[in-house]
Amino acid sequence: MIRTLLRKAIWVPAFAVLTCGGPLYFAQAQTQPGLRLNELEYLEMPGLNVMLAHDFYPESHQGGVGIIQNGLRIGTNGDLRLEPTPGQWQPVPKVGPRVVDRATQTISVRMEYPDPDKNRKGFNPIIYPDLNFAYEVKVRPEGKNFRIIVDLDKPLPEEWIGKVGFNFELFPGILFGKTYYMDQQFGIFPRQLNGPGFYDASKEYQTTPLASGQKLTIVPEDPRQTLTIQNVSGEGLQLIDGRAQHNNGWFVVRSLVKKGASKGAIEWLISPNAIAGWKSEPVVQVSQVGYHPKQQKVAVIELDKTETQRHPVTLFRVNETGGLEKVMETQPKEWGKFLRYHYLQFDFTQVQKPGMYKVKYGAYETSPFQISEQVFKRHVWQPVIETFLPVQMCHMRINDRYKVWHDVCHLDDARMAPLNHNHFDGYLQGPSTLTKYQPGEHVPNLAVGGWHDAGDYDMRVESLADEIRILSLAFEEFKVKYDNTSIDQKLKIAELHRPDGKNDLLQQVEHGALSIVAGYQNLGRLYRGIIEPSLRQYTLLGDASTQTDEVVFDAAKAPNPTPPIGQEGAPDDRWVFTEENPGRELQVASCLAVASRALKGYNDTLSTHCLRIAQELWDRTQEKDKLQRVNAAAELFLSTKDKKYANWLVANTQDITKNISRTGWVIGRTLPLIKDKKYKAAVLAAVQNYKKVVEEQERKTPYGMPYEPDIWGAGWGIQNFGVQQFFLHTSYPEIFPRTYMLHAMNFVLGVHPGSNVSSFASGVGAKSLTTAYGNNRDEWSYIPGGVGSGTALIRPDFPELLHWPYLWQQTEYVIGGGSSDYMFLILAADHLLSK
């Protein structure tokens, strides 16, 4: 099981208290400093951080007031909200700049409803046109405690009394089975949603609060999590289970704004128990799979930034007859500060003897990993092609021995989307369908091929295109021959772990290409995407075959009244969107050109269609940014050897070389076929300069490659960087080494910030992401071979990878390179190291 960021306290034992888990040691009495503003503008003391408005991502539980207590992010999203337990599409306020007053140590931020920037990409929040108010949230320290104060510019309108309240969300993953007290009430935090419930004035289902009162204490039995919230003003506190409407809800502490209240409308006193002298425990980050003997091997050791003690680091080999044999012991190399930690490095590249190994630093021991020439040949990339991709296949039934991942689905694809429609997942249909089809009309022959995107059941053309691109490149570069799945396009059945004599890689390229080609042939253009029309369908956590009735909707034959979504005869067919987007059209053209090469000799008809469509898109697309055409030019040239594409590259030398970080990896494969010496010289000079940039970025982290943490896990971007580095190394071996690519691979396999040292690739390595954001997330399970986004950043400096299946910015799987980029890296490493 993946652990949350559980960093144990390090302190001098004075006496023990017996708990259900054994003795728990407290510190000797010592003076504990109070909360103070640090240089990053949050309140800090040993064992406690209090942030305000560093993040604004409330839909995914990051924002407002947040607390990190003894190394655990225990709560977040402290802010005024319009619902007791808001979800992804509820209205959020506009956030002003954070203001710090160092004289009073106070942090404040001004907020405003409604958010005038509500139409952020990807979201379409509900608008409340009759609501307009502004307020200020302040956080002020009081020794080891702090106050949250909310001042409204003016009292709420009468009709909003009882609706607006201050919410604070508690992370459930560390609360299940633990206790709370609310005045004289008490209980445990339930693992699943339990009733009773009721309908509120807006006809929304709510659950009865777990408790109500003036003072809440959570987890009094564990000093690491003990925290008290006392309501100083307002209507008292409610402890609410936030999963009544949203499976991904957290526990919510809420108090309503009283009638007539303005200044001091909300005032809470929060008292987290910060363990005296607390320090984060040392962590050793290694690849959870292991290393090739010829590979550079560097373990990264993460320490509390205040830690001054240093231990020797030891490499052990696991003996064949039992026990551990010390192979190497040394003092680790000091690297320095990154994010909130101090880092050391342990280089054991010299060790090449095959076997299983462990690294120990102080009391910390890594999971076992191997050193072997066979390390990347089995159990590492295969789960992507033999489980993850088949499970994501649309329009198919997916059988897996005793299990059916999902039945054949979406056979009623697809109806033309409505005009001038802004879909809640970011799809936009303009004033025209751009096709011969009218809104609501069935577009034939779209119920074929494709993969469900991420944890959702929609299909995005750019995701499908990128997927067939990376699969085709893997086949082209490494001559992959692998068969462990049966795929029957006529019967629409895939059988996992049952070979059928066909190359699984090419069968998956075929599956993705079938959807794109069918869309182009029937619409006369590319589709933008195919997606569910209703939010109830979109949020489905279950068998994809239950999302629609599988019958093409015919308005002329529909029952009257029309059945609701989920019943036979309902207008539940997915919508197909179109758009004018030259950049995306050229992106798809480049991917189809690559696929045409891979499919040649396997499905020649489909290969021909792919190349024809790519050439048509090249000819018809009118872009404003020339760089959007570079990839298509390179791939079409490699596929056709037509000099017009090479001439275009040469004619645009200046733009290409100015943006070599984007273009160098793809055009490198064309250089041997282009005879223009000035072009080659300009490209090589630009690549040399780009290498210096990468070197400078690499020096900023202890991970041997550029890495800038963000609110989303950086795993997918790092994988993509690694793929590009492979082509930079193979195209310009005298300039770019292979090490950057290998470091990117190791990052995904476990060498990344935070105490959750696990492989982002589910089911791969000794420890991996086995609770993830796939379409099976409500089962708290994983799909082998799915690769999560990985360690995210709680701004400004806290890396986090939670054991929680509903955080897409940390553990989501995606189609379009997420897992297949990872597979490419493993194949590339084996290819380069096995030469």
Side-chain angles (χ1 to χ4, degrees):
M1 295 283 289
I2 296 176
R3 300 289 181 187
T4 53
L5 287 176
L6 297 178
R7 295 174 174 277
K8 297 180 181 177
I10 300 174
W11 65 93
V12 179
F15 60 90
V17 175
L18 189 64
T19 70
C20 59
L24 175 67
Y25 293 94
F26 287 86
Q28 290 178 329
Q30 54 182 283
T31 303
Q32 176 83 318
L35 284 164
R36 302 291 294 175
L37 269 170
N38 64 16
E39 71 281 1
L40 296 176
E41 299 186 347
Y42 63 81
L43 299 177
E44 183 178 29
M45 63 181 284
L48 183 62
N49 309 136
V50 182
M51 283 86 165
L52 173 60
H54 279 275
D55 281 326
F56 187 69
Y57 199 10
E59 299 91 345
S60 200
H61 307 284
Q62 285 180 237
V65 179
I67 301 174
I68 298 172
Q69 178 186 10
N70 302 316
L72 304 171
R73 185 167 69 109
I74 60 99
T76 186
N77 272 358
D79 196 4
L80 286 188
R81 298 303 297 268
L82 310 185
E83 298 85 9
T85 58
Q88 184 174 350
W89 290 277
Q90 264 73 39
V92 293
K94 177 182 174 64
V95 181
R98 185 175 54 258
V99 177
V100 296
D101 184 338
R102 296 200 175 271
T104 63
Q105 296 288 291
T106 300
I107 314 171
S108 62
V109 63
R110 184 173 174 78
M111 311 276 205
E112 179 183 354
Y113 273 102
D115 181 0
D117 301 321
K118 54 190 170 292
N119 289 320
R120 288 169 293 139
K121 183 179 180 182
F123 294 94
N124 188 19
I126 302 167
I127 302 169
Y128 289 81
D130 60 337
L131 177 65
N132 194 326
F133 73 97
Y135 58 98
E136 184 180 46
V137 179
K138 293 182 286 188
V139 171
R140 187 178 68 209
E142 292 187 9
K144 302 173 187 177
N145 311 318
F146 67 96
R147 288 182 186 267
I148 299 175
I149 302 169
V150 180
D151 295 331
L152 275 65
D153 285 6
K154 57 184 179 181
L156 291 173
E158 179 70 28
E159 61 271 24
W160 284 94
I161 301 300
K163 297 181 180 179
V164 179
F166 189 86
N167 288 14
F168 184 67
E169 299 178 0
L170 303 174
F171 173 54
I174 54 174
L175 293 177
F176 295 144
K178 297 181 180 178
T179 67
Y180 63 84
Y181 279 90
M182 178 81 84
D183 297 349
Q184 302 306 310
Q185 305 161 70
F186 48 84
I188 64 169
F189 289 95
R191 180 164 289 277
Q192 71 283 328
L193 175 70
N194 299 318
F198 62 95
Y199 291 101
D200 62 18
S202 302
K203 307 301 181 184
E204 295 285 351
Y205 177 78
Q206 307 289 351
T207 51
T208 302
L210 298 172
S212 300
Q214 290 296 125
K215 183 177 180 181
L216 170 68
T217 301
I218 67 167
V219 198
E221 71 272 23
D222 184 348
R224 191 174 180 198
Q225 290 181 244
T226 303
L227 175 140
T228 299
I229 301 175
Q230 184 174 354
N231 187 30
V232 180
S233 68
E235 297 285 352
L237 299 171
Q238 291 183 325
L239 176 61
I240 307 170
D241 192 327
R243 295 171 289 180
Q245 299 174 36
H246 316 286
N247 293 55
N248 62 352
W250 292 18
F251 294 112
V252 176
V253 185
R254 178 175 171 85
S255 63
L256 294 170
V257 175
K258 291 192 297 186
K259 181 178 180 179
S262 55
K263 187 172 179 63
I266 297 290
E267 185 172 347
W268 289 3
L269 177 64
I270 300 185
S271 305
N273 182 58
I275 297 171
W278 183 89
K279 292 181 181 180
S280 58
E281 185 181 63
V283 174
V284 181
Q285 299 156 356
V286 296
S287 166
Q288 293 297 303
V289 168
Y291 304 86
H292 191 283
K294 297 179 183 177
Q295 188 179 350
Q296 185 183 31
K297 311 172 192 71
V298 179
V300 177
I301 303 170
E302 185 178 273
L303 305 177
D304 190 279
K305 64 183 177 182
T306 64
E307 183 58 74
T308 57
Q309 186 177 11
R310 298 291 184 267
H311 302 284
V313 59
T314 308
L315 178 69
F316 292 98
R317 185 178 183 274
V318 181
N319 272 327
E320 291 87 339
T321 56
L324 300 177
E325 171 194 355
K326 184 187 293 187
V327 174
M328 182 179 178
E329 184 170 275
T330 186
Q331 285 298 125
K333 174 187 173 183
E334 296 283 336
W335 187 89
K337 185 177 182 297
F338 180 63
L339 299 176
R340 63 169 50 201
Y341 303 115
H342 186 86
Y343 287 89
L344 314 175
Q345 292 178 329
F346 169 48
D347 191 328
F348 56 103
T349 303
Q350 68 190 59
V351 178
Q352 297 191 15
K353 182 179 179 180
M356 301 300 301
Y357 290 82
K358 300 180 76 171
V359 174
K360 183 176 181 180
Y361 178 83
Y364 189 97
E365 284 190 16
T366 68
S367 301
F369 59 87
Q370 62 177 294
I371 296 177
S372 169
E373 291 183 350
Q374 307 298 311
V375 63
F376 301 124
K377 294 190 181 298
R378 191 177 179 191
H379 307 304
V380 189
W381 61 266
Q382 290 87 349
V384 177
I385 196 68
E386 67 182 19
T387 304
F388 178 71
L389 281 174
V391 169
Q392 297 297 117
M393 293 170 79
C394 190
H395 307 115
M396 302 285 283
R397 176 185 171 98
I398 313 301
N399 297 330
D400 184 359
R401 293 157 294 171
Y402 295 176
K403 179 175 183 175
V404 177
W405 285 90
H406 67 76
D407 205 350
V408 63
C409 59
H410 303 111
L411 295 181
D412 43 9
D413 274 347
R415 297 176 72 203
M416 199 69 232
L419 300 182
N420 300 309
H421 182 73
N422 183 356
H423 190 272
F424 48 79
D425 197 35
Y427 292 85
L428 295 170
Q429 187 65 46
S432 167
T433 68
L434 306 175
T435 72
K436 64 182 179 181
Y437 298 100
Q438 297 303 307
E441 187 177 354
H442 177 72
V443 180
N445 303 318
L446 297 188
V448 60
W451 302 276
H452 300 135
D453 178 66
D456 314 317
Y457 289 121
D458 59 317
M459 300 197 307
R460 298 172 181 264
V461 72
E462 71 273 27
S463 299
L464 269 59
D466 273 348
E467 189 66 37
I468 64 174
R469 172 189 62 86
I470 194 66
L471 291 173
S472 298
L473 288 174
F475 174 76
E476 186 172 72
E477 292 292 325
F478 312 122
K479 307 299 184 288
V480 177
K481 294 179 180 179
Y482 194 77
D483 174 25
N484 204 37
T485 309
S486 294
I487 297 176
D488 191 318
Q489 291 291 345
K490 291 182 179 179
L491 296 179
K492 294 185 177 294
I493 294 177
E495 293 279 356
L496 276 60
H497 306 291
R498 297 293 183 267
D500 62 357
K502 297 179 181 179
N503 191 322
D504 290 349
L505 218 68
L506 295 180
Q507 286 182 299
Q508 290 295 340
V509 174
E510 177 184 53
H511 192 70
L514 283 171
S515 179
I516 298 174
V517 170
Y520 189 90
Q521 289 178 331
N522 287 278
L523 291 164
R525 61 182 308 108
L526 297 175
Y527 61 70
R528 164 67 184 92
I530 301 175
I531 192 168
E532 306 78 26
S534 74
L535 192 58
R536 181 66 185 272
Q537 290 173 280
Y538 178 79
T539 56
L540 172 71
L541 295 177
D543 192 321
S545 68
T546 66
Q547 198 171 50
T548 73
D549 62 9
E550 307 281 8
V551 179
V552 173
F553 179 74
D554 185 345
K557 299 178 181 178
N560 189 13
T562 303
I565 298 297
Q567 295 188 19
E568 187 176 348
D572 56 10
D573 311 25
R574 291 193 297 187
W575 285 344
V576 55
F577 285 75
T578 57
E579 66 174 354
E580 291 284 6
N581 189 325
R584 186 166 285 127
E585 290 176 347
L586 289 167
Q587 172 198 355
V588 174
S590 68
C591 297
L592 289 174
V594 185
S596 72
R597 301 197 297 268
L599 290 169
K600 193 172 184 180
Y602 175 77
N603 186 332
D604 288 328
T605 300
L606 187 58
S607 171
T608 300
H609 287 320
C610 286
L611 186 56
R612 174 183 58 81
I613 293 170
Q615 291 172 313
E616 288 182 11
L617 290 170
W618 171 274
D619 292 335
R620 67 188 276 183
T621 303
Q622 296 181 355
E623 79 288 352
K624 293 181 180 179
D625 181 1
K626 289 183 179 180
L627 287 176
Q628 294 175 338
R629 197 172 280 266
V630 174
N631 286 26
E635 299 298 354
L636 280 166
F637 178 52
L638 291 171
S639 296
T640 66
K641 305 302 185 293
D642 189 329
K643 290 184 179 180
K644 76 174 182 180
Y645 303 114
N647 292 340
W648 187 94
L649 290 169
V650 172
N652 289 277
T653 301
Q654 186 174 4
D655 288 324
I656 289 170
T657 53
K658 278 185 178 180
N659 297 275
I660 201 68
S661 62
R662 290 173 55 184
T663 62
W665 72 275
V666 70
I667 63 170
R669 288 172 291 140
T670 69
L671 286 185
L673 303 176
I674 296 177
K675 305 304 181 184
D676 191 293
K677 293 183 179 179
K678 290 184 178 179
Y679 172 73
K680 288 186 175 182
V683 168
L684 289 173
V687 170
Q688 287 275 16
N689 290 331
Y690 175 48
K691 170 63 168 18
K692 297 175 184 176
V693 173
V694 174
E695 287 176 331
E696 183 178 348
Q697 294 172 333
E698 178 264 341
R699 286 191 288 268
K700 295 179 181 179
T701 84
Y703 295 102
M705 55 163 197
Y707 168 47
E708 294 186 5
D710 204 348
I711 198 167
W712 272 76
W716 303 331
I718 286 173
Q719 288 174 175
N720 185 254
F721 168 81
V723 171
Q724 294 183 15
Q725 284 296 315
F726 168 80
F727 286 110
L728 286 168
H729 169 65
T730 54
S731 298
Y732 319 99
E734 69 284 357
I735 300 174
F736 272 94
R738 65 190 184 193
T739 51
Y740 294 131
M741 184 209 80
L742 296 173
H743 291 161
M745 177 188 67
N746 286 340
F747 186 96
V748 176
L749 290 175
V751 188
H752 52 249
S755 64
N756 195 332
V757 183
S758 61
S759 163
F760 298 160
S762 289
V764 174
K767 281 183 62 180
S768 70
L769 206 62
T770 51
T771 298
Y773 191 98
N775 53 46
N776 59 323
R777 56 192 174 277
D778 204 47
E779 301 169 15
W780 286 67
S781 61
Y782 69 100
I783 304 173
V787 178
S789 37
T791 304
L793 183 70
I794 307 303
R795 293 172 179 164
D797 65 347
F798 184 67
E800 180 182 78
L801 182 59
L802 291 174
H803 174 213
W804 186 247
Y806 303 110
L807 287 181
W808 51 79
Q809 76 271 34
Q810 296 187 18
T811 65
E812 185 177 17
Y813 303 140
V814 290
I815 287 295
S819 294
S820 296
D821 274 1
Y822 156 79
M823 179 175 71
F824 186 98
L825 287 182
I826 302 299
L827 290 165
D830 187 53
H831 173 75
L832 292 176
L833 294 166
S834 297
K835 282 187 176 181

